[in-house]
Amino acid sequence: MMKALIFWLCFVTALPLFSQDDFLAKQYFNDGEYEKALVFYERLVAQNPRRMDFAENMVRCYQQLEAYDKAEAFLLNKIESGSAYPTIYIELGYNYRLQEKITQAGEYYDKALEAIETNPNYGYGIGVGFQRFALLDYALKAYERAMELNPQLDYYFQIALIYGEQGKIKKMFEAYLELLGNGRSTLGNVIGRISSFINEDPNNENNRLLREVALKKAQKEPAVLWNELLSWLFVQQKQYKYAFLQEKAIFKRTGEASIERLEALGENALESKSLEIAIEIFRYIDKNSVDRITQLNAQLNLLDIELMSASEKDYAGIESKYQELVSEYGYQPTTLQLQVAYANFLTFKKNESGKAIPILKEAIDLPLTKYGEAYIKMALGDILVFDQKFNEALIYFSQIQKNLKNDVLGQEARFKVAQTSFYKGDFDWSLTQLKVLRGSTSQLIANDAMQLSLLISDNSFEDSTQTALKKYAKADLLAYQNKNEEAISILEEIMQQHKGEKIEDEALLKQAELFVEKGDYDSALYNYTKIVEFYGDDILADDAHFAMAELFRNTLNQPEKAKYHYEKILYNYQDSYFFPQARKNFRILRGDSIN
């Protein structure tokens, strides 16, 4: 009993000393003070001969101090003891390599590989050991030989990473797809790993290699998995027609379970302005889905596409189509998207808000979830703003804000309160709301809140009568009401009557956006250029550079000019909201492989 007590007391007393040695050893080691670290590691190794981490760090200290003979003696002694893990051979080989004794280093690396012959389970530890010293060819041999000896082992993930480091892209893809095929990884994980090697260019070598490897897999082992991977690749390349072929093949094998994939592809194509294929996709969904709401969504998307190129003479025909949908689907809690789409069409296209408002007010009386109710109230509030019924709109936005306080939808409603107050001329209340939103969880809402907040505060300080600000608010409302020509005229008036004031660059930017909408690109570029030349140090300069870059890239097909403006953001506006997208687009135009 007494002996046990004495042992226990000694053990407890020794613990703080052990912990202190370990802490100090690591501290000195990390600071590069290897002589001091070595004192502690030699003691720790003597006290804990089985702790490989202590032993490895002690050896590192010897090597940093070029005491290779001491490292060699220690490692050889470990080998002779017969209890060391085979990675000890790698450690010794690396010690010889540091002395440029390449032949001896190779001999011990081979000894490590030989250990796998007796026990394939050593493959992982030995592979990792080689990777630690960037001996990638040896690591590959370790993993591959272990798998040959024991087919139950799976080191394709490690192999894929090595091939990626070596730039052997095709072999890397093959390894990742092997992981995918044997069920050891998910498609999402594999895409996360390979996406940085792929870009938008279908002729990019890496894209070509992935397509080749995936098609080979699909021919050898027909499975939906390979259709999904190929569809993903074609979407990255914006080849929506080819992606659609893959998605149809998936749908034929899985049915309604994969309908959401087709919907997402249609929305992707629509967002990228690939309208012909988007129409094909939505028509296919409408024809083949057995779910009525899915069919309705497809039909609404088709109407949205039709509206993109419609003129006023087409509106009567489009309205008939909305009315047919209403007759078919009715007004129900499950068809709110139809009611909102129809109301928005009546308001923003036909200028008939008087017909739209009763549709949405009737919908509020349906048995809705709190999100369904917020969705309808948000749409109703937007239409009431269009109708300049600001106080009523504010009631609906405030109700959403209160009911969904910590939700992004609630934050969006708060921004609409601020924006409506701005249109109304109640700038102080607008500012109060915007200050809260600058910390929004939605970066877009936070950025919009900051822009509007600065617009109000800067121009209120400079002009206590807020004359120019009131004119700008009026122009902004007119633009919201699709009265673009009137808005452009008021913005021109601001620029003439308030030349040199802070609001001039705001007016230039807003007017440029309206010029882009009407297709007057020369006037838009003139405004943007004026902002970067005369207001290059102000908050809207990055907006102007990004807008010009997007215009040159997406509309005017002048990639070199687009690159110039993206690059301006990268070098001069690194805290810009547009910085991440500018960097991505710049790298795409330069031909980089990007995520």
Side-chain angles (χ1 to χ4, degrees), residues 127-168:
V128 170
F130 281 125
Q131 281 182 274
R132 187 183 302 136
F133 298 119
L135 299 164
L136 301 183
D137 287 332
Y138 278 101
L140 278 173
K141 287 179 184 177
Y143 292 130
E144 288 172 347
R145 183 55 181 158
M147 289 167 61
E148 284 175 21
L149 293 169
N150 181 359
Q152 299 299 312
L153 296 173
D154 185 345
Y155 300 134
Y156 283 111
F157 180 75
Q158 289 76 18
I159 289 170
L161 288 175
I162 292 171
Y163 281 137
E165 286 185 59
Q166 293 179 324
K168 297 176 180 177

mmCIF file of all heavy atoms in Angstrom, residues 127-168:
data_model
loop_
_atom_site.group_PDB
_atom_site.id
_atom_site.type_symbol
_atom_site.label_atom_id
_atom_site.label_comp_id
_atom_site.label_asym_id
_atom_site.label_seq_id
_atom_site.Cartn_x
_atom_site.Cartn_y
_atom_site.Cartn_z
ATOM 1 N N GLY A 127 3.514 5.517 -46.824
ATOM 2 C CA GLY A 127 3.183 6.515 -47.848
ATOM 3 C C GLY A 127 3.197 7.920 -47.275
ATOM 4 O O GLY A 127 3.787 8.841 -47.862
ATOM 5 N N VAL A 128 2.566 8.088 -46.126
ATOM 6 C CA VAL A 128 2.541 9.408 -45.461
ATOM 7 C C VAL A 128 3.954 9.832 -45.088
ATOM 8 O O VAL A 128 4.323 11.006 -45.216
ATOM 9 C CB VAL A 128 1.625 9.372 -44.219
ATOM 10 C CG1 VAL A 128 1.789 10.644 -43.396
ATOM 11 C CG2 VAL A 128 0.167 9.197 -44.631
ATOM 12 N N GLY A 129 4.768 8.860 -44.628
ATOM 13 C CA GLY A 129 6.159 9.158 -44.264
ATOM 14 C C GLY A 129 6.938 9.706 -45.443
ATOM 15 O O GLY A 129 7.688 10.682 -45.308
ATOM 16 N N PHE A 130 6.763 9.108 -46.605
ATOM 17 C CA PHE A 130 7.441 9.615 -47.803
ATOM 18 C C PHE A 130 6.903 10.989 -48.197
ATOM 19 O O PHE A 130 7.668 11.874 -48.596
ATOM 20 C CB PHE A 130 7.255 8.637 -48.971
ATOM 21 C CG PHE A 130 8.176 7.447 -48.923
ATOM 22 C CD1 PHE A 130 7.675 6.147 -48.962
ATOM 23 C CD2 PHE A 130 9.553 7.621 -48.855
ATOM 24 C CE1 PHE A 130 8.519 5.048 -48.927
ATOM 25 C CE2 PHE A 130 10.407 6.527 -48.815
ATOM 26 C CZ PHE A 130 9.896 5.238 -48.855
ATOM 27 N N GLN A 131 5.586 11.178 -48.084
ATOM 28 C CA GLN A 131 5.002 12.481 -48.439
ATOM 29 C C GLN A 131 5.530 13.598 -47.560
ATOM 30 O O GLN A 131 5.693 14.732 -48.015
ATOM 31 C CB GLN A 131 3.470 12.421 -48.326
ATOM 32 C CG GLN A 131 2.783 11.746 -49.498
ATOM 33 C CD GLN A 131 1.275 11.750 -49.350
ATOM 34 O OE1 GLN A 131 0.701 10.871 -48.725
ATOM 35 N NE2 GLN A 131 0.623 12.751 -49.930
ATOM 36 N N ARG A 132 5.805 13.267 -46.300
ATOM 37 C CA ARG A 132 6.306 14.289 -45.370
ATOM 38 C C ARG A 132 7.589 14.920 -45.886
ATOM 39 O O ARG A 132 7.862 16.091 -45.663
ATOM 40 C CB ARG A 132 6.545 13.647 -43.997
ATOM 41 C CG ARG A 132 6.897 14.652 -42.905
ATOM 42 C CD ARG A 132 7.188 13.962 -41.589
ATOM 43 N NE ARG A 132 6.068 13.160 -41.144
ATOM 44 C CZ ARG A 132 6.176 11.929 -40.642
ATOM 45 N NH1 ARG A 132 7.371 11.363 -40.539
ATOM 46 N NH2 ARG A 132 5.115 11.272 -40.240
ATOM 47 N N PHE A 133 8.393 14.133 -46.626
ATOM 48 C CA PHE A 133 9.658 14.649 -47.159
ATOM 49 C C PHE A 133 9.569 14.921 -48.663
ATOM 50 O O PHE A 133 10.592 15.009 -49.335
ATOM 51 C CB PHE A 133 10.785 13.652 -46.866
ATOM 52 C CG PHE A 133 11.025 13.432 -45.402
ATOM 53 C CD1 PHE A 133 10.864 12.173 -44.836
ATOM 54 C CD2 PHE A 133 11.389 14.482 -44.569
ATOM 55 C CE1 PHE A 133 11.078 11.965 -43.474
ATOM 56 C CE2 PHE A 133 11.600 14.288 -43.216
ATOM 57 C CZ PHE A 133 11.432 13.028 -42.661
ATOM 58 N N ALA A 134 8.334 15.020 -49.166
ATOM 59 C CA ALA A 134 8.079 15.317 -50.585
ATOM 60 C C ALA A 134 8.676 14.261 -51.506
ATOM 61 O O ALA A 134 9.046 14.556 -52.648
ATOM 62 C CB ALA A 134 8.608 16.705 -50.949
ATOM 63 N N LEU A 135 8.762 13.032 -51.029
ATOM 64 C CA LEU A 135 9.248 11.919 -51.844
ATOM 65 C C LEU A 135 8.026 11.258 -52.496
ATOM 66 O O LEU A 135 7.602 10.156 -52.133
ATOM 67 C CB LEU A 135 10.026 10.926 -50.977
ATOM 68 C CG LEU A 135 11.282 11.514 -50.297
ATOM 69 C CD1 LEU A 135 11.759 10.617 -49.164
ATOM 70 C CD2 LEU A 135 12.389 11.704 -51.329
ATOM 71 N N LEU A 136 7.448 11.960 -53.454
ATOM 72 C CA LEU A 136 6.135 11.595 -53.962
ATOM 73 C C LEU A 136 6.145 10.304 -54.776
ATOM 74 O O LEU A 136 5.194 9.517 -54.713
ATOM 75 C CB LEU A 136 5.562 12.747 -54.793
ATOM 76 C CG LEU A 136 5.408 14.085 -54.038
ATOM 77 C CD1 LEU A 136 4.764 15.134 -54.938
ATOM 78 C CD2 LEU A 136 4.586 13.904 -52.772
ATOM 79 N N ASP A 137 7.205 10.062 -55.548
ATOM 80 C CA ASP A 137 7.267 8.812 -56.315
ATOM 81 C C ASP A 137 7.322 7.602 -55.393
ATOM 82 O O ASP A 137 6.679 6.576 -55.656
ATOM 83 C CB ASP A 137 8.478 8.822 -57.252
ATOM 84 C CG ASP A 137 8.277 9.772 -58.435
ATOM 85 O OD1 ASP A 137 7.104 9.978 -58.818
ATOM 86 O OD2 ASP A 137 9.266 10.299 -58.953
ATOM 87 N N TYR A 138 8.089 7.720 -54.320
ATOM 88 C CA TYR A 138 8.148 6.628 -53.340
ATOM 89 C C TYR A 138 6.800 6.441 -52.645
ATOM 90 O O TYR A 138 6.365 5.320 -52.389
ATOM 91 C CB TYR A 138 9.238 6.910 -52.296
ATOM 92 C CG TYR A 138 10.626 6.547 -52.750
ATOM 93 C CD1 TYR A 138 11.511 7.523 -53.199
ATOM 94 C CD2 TYR A 138 11.062 5.231 -52.725
ATOM 95 C CE1 TYR A 138 12.792 7.210 -53.609
ATOM 96 C CE2 TYR A 138 12.352 4.889 -53.129
ATOM 97 C CZ TYR A 138 13.210 5.886 -53.582
ATOM 98 O OH TYR A 138 14.483 5.545 -53.991
ATOM 99 N N ALA A 139 6.147 7.558 -52.324
ATOM 100 C CA ALA A 139 4.831 7.472 -51.675
ATOM 101 C C ALA A 139 3.841 6.735 -52.571
ATOM 102 O O ALA A 139 3.073 5.883 -52.110
ATOM 103 C CB ALA A 139 4.320 8.874 -51.349
ATOM 104 N N LEU A 140 3.864 7.066 -53.874
ATOM 105 C CA LEU A 140 2.988 6.369 -54.820
ATOM 106 C C LEU A 140 3.260 4.873 -54.829
ATOM 107 O O LEU A 140 2.337 4.054 -54.818
ATOM 108 C CB LEU A 140 3.191 6.933 -56.233
ATOM 109 C CG LEU A 140 2.438 8.217 -56.573
ATOM 110 C CD1 LEU A 140 2.880 8.743 -57.930
ATOM 111 C CD2 LEU A 140 0.935 7.992 -56.565
ATOM 112 N N LYS A 141 4.546 4.502 -54.848
ATOM 113 C CA LYS A 141 4.901 3.079 -54.835
ATOM 114 C C LYS A 141 4.342 2.394 -53.596
ATOM 115 O O LYS A 141 3.839 1.273 -53.653
ATOM 116 C CB LYS A 141 6.424 2.917 -54.870
ATOM 117 C CG LYS A 141 7.055 3.236 -56.202
ATOM 118 C CD LYS A 141 8.576 3.075 -56.118
ATOM 119 C CE LYS A 141 9.256 3.493 -57.417
ATOM 120 N NZ LYS A 141 10.737 3.403 -57.303
ATOM 121 N N ALA A 142 4.431 3.097 -52.457
ATOM 122 C CA ALA A 142 3.945 2.514 -51.196
ATOM 123 C C ALA A 142 2.443 2.260 -51.262
ATOM 124 O O ALA A 142 1.968 1.159 -50.943
ATOM 125 C CB ALA A 142 4.281 3.446 -50.032
ATOM 126 N N TYR A 143 1.690 3.275 -51.675
ATOM 127 C CA TYR A 143 0.233 3.126 -51.721
ATOM 128 C C TYR A 143 -0.188 2.070 -52.750
ATOM 129 O O TYR A 143 -1.052 1.224 -52.487
ATOM 130 C CB TYR A 143 -0.420 4.472 -52.070
ATOM 131 C CG TYR A 143 -0.283 5.530 -50.998
ATOM 132 C CD1 TYR A 143 0.169 6.815 -51.312
ATOM 133 C CD2 TYR A 143 -0.617 5.257 -49.664
ATOM 134 C CE1 TYR A 143 0.277 7.806 -50.332
ATOM 135 C CE2 TYR A 143 -0.510 6.236 -48.683
ATOM 136 C CZ TYR A 143 -0.060 7.506 -49.025
ATOM 137 O OH TYR A 143 0.046 8.470 -48.059
ATOM 138 N N GLU A 144 0.417 2.148 -53.926
ATOM 139 C CA GLU A 144 -0.004 1.248 -55.003
ATOM 140 C C GLU A 144 0.354 -0.200 -54.696
ATOM 141 O O GLU A 144 -0.435 -1.118 -54.961
ATOM 142 C CB GLU A 144 0.628 1.704 -56.328
ATOM 143 C CG GLU A 144 -0.012 2.996 -56.843
ATOM 144 C CD GLU A 144 0.709 3.585 -58.048
ATOM 145 O OE1 GLU A 144 1.853 3.131 -58.335
ATOM 146 O OE2 GLU A 144 0.151 4.496 -58.682
ATOM 147 N N ARG A 145 1.564 -0.430 -54.113
ATOM 148 C CA ARG A 145 1.966 -1.808 -53.794
ATOM 149 C C ARG A 145 1.085 -2.387 -52.692
ATOM 150 O O ARG A 145 0.686 -3.560 -52.753
ATOM 151 C CB ARG A 145 3.445 -1.842 -53.372
ATOM 152 C CG ARG A 145 3.994 -3.239 -53.095
ATOM 153 C CD ARG A 145 3.785 -4.147 -54.281
ATOM 154 N NE ARG A 145 4.274 -5.492 -54.028
ATOM 155 C CZ ARG A 145 3.868 -6.575 -54.677
ATOM 156 N NH1 ARG A 145 2.937 -6.448 -55.636
ATOM 157 N NH2 ARG A 145 4.371 -7.759 -54.401
ATOM 158 N N ALA A 146 0.767 -1.578 -51.703
ATOM 159 C CA ALA A 146 -0.102 -2.043 -50.614
ATOM 160 C C ALA A 146 -1.461 -2.465 -51.160
ATOM 161 O O ALA A 146 -2.024 -3.491 -50.748
ATOM 162 C CB ALA A 146 -0.262 -0.946 -49.568
ATOM 163 N N MET A 147 -1.992 -1.686 -52.113
ATOM 164 C CA MET A 147 -3.296 -2.010 -52.700
ATOM 165 C C MET A 147 -3.233 -3.262 -53.577
ATOM 166 O O MET A 147 -4.193 -4.032 -53.667
ATOM 167 C CB MET A 147 -3.815 -0.812 -53.498
ATOM 168 C CG MET A 147 -4.252 0.351 -52.614
ATOM 169 S SD MET A 147 -4.512 1.900 -53.527
ATOM 170 C CE MET A 147 -5.818 1.450 -54.644
ATOM 171 N N GLU A 148 -2.074 -3.455 -54.243
ATOM 172 C CA GLU A 148 -1.906 -4.678 -55.036
ATOM 173 C C GLU A 148 -1.931 -5.913 -54.145
ATOM 174 O O GLU A 148 -2.561 -6.925 -54.477
ATOM 175 C CB GLU A 148 -0.569 -4.632 -55.788
ATOM 176 C CG GLU A 148 -0.551 -3.736 -57.006
ATOM 177 C CD GLU A 148 0.845 -3.672 -57.614
ATOM 178 O OE1 GLU A 148 1.668 -4.576 -57.361
ATOM 179 O OE2 GLU A 148 1.117 -2.689 -58.331
ATOM 180 N N LEU A 149 -1.235 -5.802 -53.007
ATOM 181 C CA LEU A 149 -1.132 -6.950 -52.098
ATOM 182 C C LEU A 149 -2.433 -7.200 -51.342
ATOM 183 O O LEU A 149 -2.750 -8.338 -50.997
ATOM 184 C CB LEU A 149 0.024 -6.734 -51.111
ATOM 185 C CG LEU A 149 1.431 -6.731 -51.739
ATOM 186 C CD1 LEU A 149 2.454 -6.244 -50.732
ATOM 187 C CD2 LEU A 149 1.793 -8.136 -52.230
ATOM 188 N N ASN A 150 -3.171 -6.109 -51.064
ATOM 189 C CA ASN A 150 -4.438 -6.249 -50.340
ATOM 190 C C ASN A 150 -5.489 -5.382 -51.028
ATOM 191 O O ASN A 150 -5.603 -4.184 -50.757
ATOM 192 C CB ASN A 150 -4.279 -5.829 -48.880
ATOM 193 C CG ASN A 150 -5.575 -5.996 -48.093
ATOM 194 O OD1 ASN A 150 -6.599 -6.415 -48.638
ATOM 195 N ND2 ASN A 150 -5.549 -5.654 -46.823
ATOM 196 N N PRO A 151 -6.271 -5.964 -51.956
ATOM 197 C CA PRO A 151 -7.269 -5.195 -52.708
ATOM 198 C C PRO A 151 -8.332 -4.533 -51.826
ATOM 199 O O PRO A 151 -9.076 -3.670 -52.305
ATOM 200 C CB PRO A 151 -7.913 -6.251 -53.615
ATOM 201 C CG PRO A 151 -6.896 -7.343 -53.719
ATOM 202 C CD PRO A 151 -6.203 -7.367 -52.387
ATOM 203 N N GLN A 152 -8.414 -4.907 -50.565
ATOM 204 C CA GLN A 152 -9.373 -4.270 -49.669
ATOM 205 C C GLN A 152 -8.940 -2.861 -49.271
ATOM 206 O O GLN A 152 -9.750 -2.045 -48.839
ATOM 207 C CB GLN A 152 -9.553 -5.111 -48.382
ATOM 208 C CG GLN A 152 -10.085 -6.518 -48.642
ATOM 209 C CD GLN A 152 -11.443 -6.495 -49.304
ATOM 210 O OE1 GLN A 152 -12.338 -5.770 -48.868
ATOM 211 N NE2 GLN A 152 -11.602 -7.272 -50.366
ATOM 212 N N LEU A 153 -7.651 -2.579 -49.412
ATOM 213 C CA LEU A 153 -7.136 -1.256 -49.057
ATOM 214 C C LEU A 153 -7.491 -0.256 -50.155
ATOM 215 O O LEU A 153 -7.567 -0.602 -51.333
ATOM 216 C CB LEU A 153 -5.614 -1.306 -48.877
ATOM 217 C CG LEU A 153 -5.106 -2.185 -47.733
ATOM 218 C CD1 LEU A 153 -3.582 -2.274 -47.779
ATOM 219 C CD2 LEU A 153 -5.559 -1.645 -46.384
ATOM 220 N N ASP A 154 -7.717 0.976 -49.763
ATOM 221 C CA ASP A 154 -8.095 2.010 -50.721
ATOM 222 C C ASP A 154 -7.355 3.302 -50.396
ATOM 223 O O ASP A 154 -7.696 4.012 -49.456
ATOM 224 C CB ASP A 154 -9.614 2.243 -50.666
ATOM 225 C CG ASP A 154 -10.092 3.239 -51.728
ATOM 226 O OD1 ASP A 154 -9.246 3.939 -52.299
ATOM 227 O OD2 ASP A 154 -11.301 3.308 -51.972
ATOM 228 N N TYR A 155 -6.316 3.565 -51.180
ATOM 229 C CA TYR A 155 -5.528 4.777 -50.988
ATOM 230 C C TYR A 155 -5.644 5.710 -52.192
ATOM 231 O O TYR A 155 -4.748 6.496 -52.475
ATOM 232 C CB TYR A 155 -4.054 4.425 -50.747
ATOM 233 C CG TYR A 155 -3.824 3.554 -49.533
ATOM 234 C CD1 TYR A 155 -2.984 2.453 -49.599
ATOM 235 C CD2 TYR A 155 -4.454 3.827 -48.323
ATOM 236 C CE1 TYR A 155 -2.769 1.647 -48.480
ATOM 237 C CE2 TYR A 155 -4.256 3.031 -47.202
ATOM 238 C CZ TYR A 155 -3.412 1.932 -47.298
ATOM 239 O OH TYR A 155 -3.216 1.143 -46.193
ATOM 240 N N TYR A 156 -6.779 5.620 -52.927
ATOM 241 C CA TYR A 156 -6.934 6.448 -54.123
ATOM 242 C C TYR A 156 -6.952 7.942 -53.797
ATOM 243 O O TYR A 156 -6.504 8.771 -54.598
ATOM 244 C CB TYR A 156 -8.220 6.057 -54.878
ATOM 245 C CG TYR A 156 -8.080 4.779 -55.662
ATOM 246 C CD1 TYR A 156 -8.752 3.626 -55.280
ATOM 247 C CD2 TYR A 156 -7.261 4.726 -56.786
ATOM 248 C CE1 TYR A 156 -8.620 2.448 -56.000
ATOM 249 C CE2 TYR A 156 -7.125 3.557 -57.514
ATOM 250 C CZ TYR A 156 -7.800 2.421 -57.116
ATOM 251 O OH TYR A 156 -7.662 1.267 -57.829
ATOM 252 N N PHE A 157 -7.479 8.291 -52.625
ATOM 253 C CA PHE A 157 -7.512 9.703 -52.248
ATOM 254 C C PHE A 157 -6.087 10.251 -52.135
ATOM 255 O O PHE A 157 -5.754 11.306 -52.675
ATOM 256 C CB PHE A 157 -8.257 9.873 -50.925
ATOM 257 C CG PHE A 157 -8.337 11.296 -50.446
ATOM 258 C CD1 PHE A 157 -9.203 12.196 -51.038
ATOM 259 C CD2 PHE A 157 -7.517 11.747 -49.422
ATOM 260 C CE1 PHE A 157 -9.271 13.512 -50.619
ATOM 261 C CE2 PHE A 157 -7.572 13.060 -48.996
ATOM 262 C CZ PHE A 157 -8.455 13.947 -49.594
ATOM 263 N N GLN A 158 -5.212 9.502 -51.419
ATOM 264 C CA GLN A 158 -3.818 9.929 -51.264
ATOM 265 C C GLN A 158 -3.106 9.959 -52.623
ATOM 266 O O GLN A 158 -2.342 10.888 -52.925
ATOM 267 C CB GLN A 158 -3.081 8.973 -50.306
ATOM 268 C CG GLN A 158 -3.491 9.088 -48.854
ATOM 269 C CD GLN A 158 -4.843 8.435 -48.561
ATOM 270 O OE1 GLN A 158 -5.345 7.615 -49.332
ATOM 271 N NE2 GLN A 158 -5.432 8.799 -47.439
ATOM 272 N N ILE A 159 -3.396 8.958 -53.444
ATOM 273 C CA ILE A 159 -2.777 8.873 -54.770
ATOM 274 C C ILE A 159 -3.209 10.068 -55.628
ATOM 275 O O ILE A 159 -2.385 10.680 -56.320
ATOM 276 C CB ILE A 159 -3.159 7.535 -55.442
ATOM 277 C CG1 ILE A 159 -2.440 6.383 -54.723
ATOM 278 C CG2 ILE A 159 -2.821 7.547 -56.927
ATOM 279 C CD1 ILE A 159 -2.914 5.005 -55.132
ATOM 280 N N ALA A 160 -4.485 10.403 -55.566
ATOM 281 C CA ALA A 160 -4.988 11.531 -56.359
ATOM 282 C C ALA A 160 -4.308 12.837 -55.949
ATOM 283 O O ALA A 160 -3.921 13.644 -56.808
ATOM 284 C CB ALA A 160 -6.499 11.654 -56.180
ATOM 285 N N LEU A 161 -4.156 13.050 -54.657
ATOM 286 C CA LEU A 161 -3.495 14.272 -54.184
ATOM 287 C C LEU A 161 -2.062 14.357 -54.692
ATOM 288 O O LEU A 161 -1.591 15.428 -55.097
ATOM 289 C CB LEU A 161 -3.501 14.308 -52.649
ATOM 290 C CG LEU A 161 -4.847 14.588 -51.973
ATOM 291 C CD1 LEU A 161 -4.703 14.471 -50.454
ATOM 292 C CD2 LEU A 161 -5.364 15.973 -52.331
ATOM 293 N N ILE A 162 -1.379 13.214 -54.687
ATOM 294 C CA ILE A 162 0.013 13.202 -55.162
ATOM 295 C C ILE A 162 0.074 13.525 -56.648
ATOM 296 O O ILE A 162 0.888 14.342 -57.091
ATOM 297 C CB ILE A 162 0.677 11.837 -54.863
ATOM 298 C CG1 ILE A 162 0.861 11.664 -53.354
ATOM 299 C CG2 ILE A 162 2.027 11.719 -55.576
ATOM 300 C CD1 ILE A 162 1.295 10.283 -52.945
ATOM 301 N N TYR A 163 -0.791 12.889 -57.440
ATOM 302 C CA TYR A 163 -0.788 13.173 -58.873
ATOM 303 C C TYR A 163 -1.083 14.653 -59.129
ATOM 304 O O TYR A 163 -0.519 15.268 -60.041
ATOM 305 C CB TYR A 163 -1.821 12.307 -59.589
ATOM 306 C CG TYR A 163 -1.362 10.879 -59.825
ATOM 307 C CD1 TYR A 163 -2.222 9.803 -59.613
ATOM 308 C CD2 TYR A 163 -0.068 10.604 -60.281
ATOM 309 C CE1 TYR A 163 -1.800 8.494 -59.839
ATOM 310 C CE2 TYR A 163 0.356 9.304 -60.504
ATOM 311 C CZ TYR A 163 -0.516 8.251 -60.279
ATOM 312 O OH TYR A 163 -0.096 6.966 -60.503
ATOM 313 N N GLY A 164 -1.973 15.236 -58.327
ATOM 314 C CA GLY A 164 -2.266 16.658 -58.459
ATOM 315 C C GLY A 164 -1.034 17.504 -58.198
ATOM 316 O O GLY A 164 -0.738 18.455 -58.935
ATOM 317 N N GLU A 165 -0.282 17.152 -57.151
ATOM 318 C CA GLU A 165 0.949 17.883 -56.829
ATOM 319 C C GLU A 165 1.987 17.736 -57.934
ATOM 320 O O GLU A 165 2.754 18.656 -58.214
ATOM 321 C CB GLU A 165 1.542 17.375 -55.510
ATOM 322 C CG GLU A 165 0.799 17.826 -54.269
ATOM 323 C CD GLU A 165 1.508 17.384 -52.997
ATOM 324 O OE1 GLU A 165 2.685 17.766 -52.818
ATOM 325 O OE2 GLU A 165 0.909 16.645 -52.196
ATOM 326 N N GLN A 166 2.000 16.575 -58.565
ATOM 327 C CA GLN A 166 2.989 16.323 -59.620
ATOM 328 C C GLN A 166 2.569 16.886 -60.965
ATOM 329 O O GLN A 166 3.351 16.864 -61.921
ATOM 330 C CB GLN A 166 3.223 14.808 -59.756
ATOM 331 C CG GLN A 166 3.904 14.177 -58.556
ATOM 332 C CD GLN A 166 4.079 12.676 -58.727
ATOM 333 O OE1 GLN A 166 3.226 11.999 -59.295
ATOM 334 N NE2 GLN A 166 5.196 12.170 -58.245
ATOM 335 N N GLY A 167 1.335 17.365 -61.045
ATOM 336 C CA GLY A 167 0.848 17.887 -62.316
ATOM 337 C C GLY A 167 0.428 16.799 -63.289
ATOM 338 O O GLY A 167 0.258 17.061 -64.488
ATOM 339 N N LYS A 168 0.263 15.576 -62.791
ATOM 340 C CA LYS A 168 -0.203 14.470 -63.644
ATOM 341 C C LYS A 168 -1.736 14.446 -63.568
ATOM 342 O O LYS A 168 -2.340 13.652 -62.849
ATOM 343 C CB LYS A 168 0.401 13.152 -63.173
ATOM 344 C CG LYS A 168 1.932 13.131 -63.292
ATOM 345 C CD LYS A 168 2.526 11.846 -62.719
ATOM 346 C CE LYS A 168 4.036 11.844 -62.837
ATOM 347 N NZ LYS A 168 4.649 10.638 -62.231
#
